Amino acid sequence: MSDVDLYVARQPIFDAHLHVCAYELLYRSALTGGFDGTEANVATARVINAAFYSAEGAGILGGKPAFINFPQQLLEQEGAAILPPRATVIEVLENVEATGAVQSACRRLRSEGFRVALDDVTDGRARHPLAAAADIVKVDFRGTG
């Protein structure tokens, strides 16, 4: 594999009528595998480049919005600024700490027209500290009681 090979997994997201309404784009380093542990900021940057800024990625979304995983550093450093807000849902990873900077970033992103999703929420009894700054909460039912 060369340094420029990149594979992006496209996972459909369905609405209540089982129509594809968006795609979650996930970094993959090879055709055969899943995530290889590449540093999260690098993985997200590569997915963004593949989907929005490469000739090969032009048709990957088929006009649907992209859910893109954002680690803490990219949220705090305004890494979404290069993305089209209407075509992108900023997905806050489950390991992101709800610091003041992250909360501010989520509110700012929403004010700029992005939608914000919380990924893999498992505790339905406790109010998530970023819930007020999110449009979508993705619940991981396998991790709930």
Side-chain angles (χ1 to χ4, degrees), residues 38-108:
T38 296
E39 197 274 326
N41 294 305
V42 172
T44 295
R46 288 182 178 169
V47 167
I48 289 169
N49 185 58
F52 292 101
Y53 301 106
S54 73
E56 297 84 8
I60 196 169
L61 294 171
K64 307 282 189 214
F67 278 62
I68 298 181
N69 292 327
F70 266 72
Q72 185 145 353
Q73 183 179 2
L74 282 181
L75 284 167
E76 292 175 346
Q77 294 179 353
E78 302 185 17
I82 63 170
L83 294 169
R86 290 188 175 187
T88 311
V89 178
I90 305 302
E91 193 162 340
V92 180
L93 293 171
E94 62 275 9
N95 61 353
V96 170
E97 293 180 46
T99 64
V102 168
Q103 291 177 33
S104 294
C106 290
R107 286 191 299 271
R108 181 186 41 74

